[in-house]
Amino acid sequence: NHKDHPRKIEHGDDYPLETCPVSGAKLGSMGKGAVYTHKGQEIRLCCEACVEVVKKDPEKFLKIIEDAKKSTE
C-alpha cells in the first residue's frame, strides 16, 4: 500500500524552492546537489556540506519550505 509511504518528490514538481535553503545557491549550480528527507519532506540542497547544517535543525528548514509553498498558493 503506497499511501503509507511518503511521496517521492521529483524535479519538475511542486517543490517550492529553486535555491538551497542553507546557502542560497541555485539548486544544481554546484553539481548534482543533495537531498535530505525529514518527516517525509525532501529538503533539496546545493551540496553535501549543507546536509550537515540541516541535520542540526531540520525543523527550521521544513518551515522555510512550508512558508514558500504558502506563498505560491
Side-chain angles (χ1 to χ4, degrees):
N1 186 344
H2 293 290
K3 291 191 303 187
D4 297 332
H5 300 289
R7 184 172 65 92
K8 178 75 175 156
I9 299 175
E10 302 295 335
H11 290 287
D13 57 25
D14 63 352
Y15 188 79
L17 302 177
E18 293 182 7
T19 58
C20 174
V22 176
S23 71
K26 185 163 176 60
L27 294 175
S29 67
M30 299 177 75
K32 183 179 172 213
V35 176
Y36 181 75
T37 303
H38 184 70
K39 294 184 177 177
Q41 171 65 59
E42 282 189 352
I43 303 170
R44 297 180 190 170
L45 306 158
C46 65
C47 66
E48 289 293 331
C50 288
V51 171
E52 296 307 314
V53 175
V54 171
K55 283 181 181 178
K56 292 176 184 170
D57 189 4
E59 293 296 324
K60 172 183 174 181
F61 297 98
L62 287 183
K63 181 167 177 13
I64 291 169
I65 293 168
E66 287 304 313
D67 288 349
K69 283 182 179 179
K70 289 176 188 170
S71 70
T72 60
E73 290 176 351

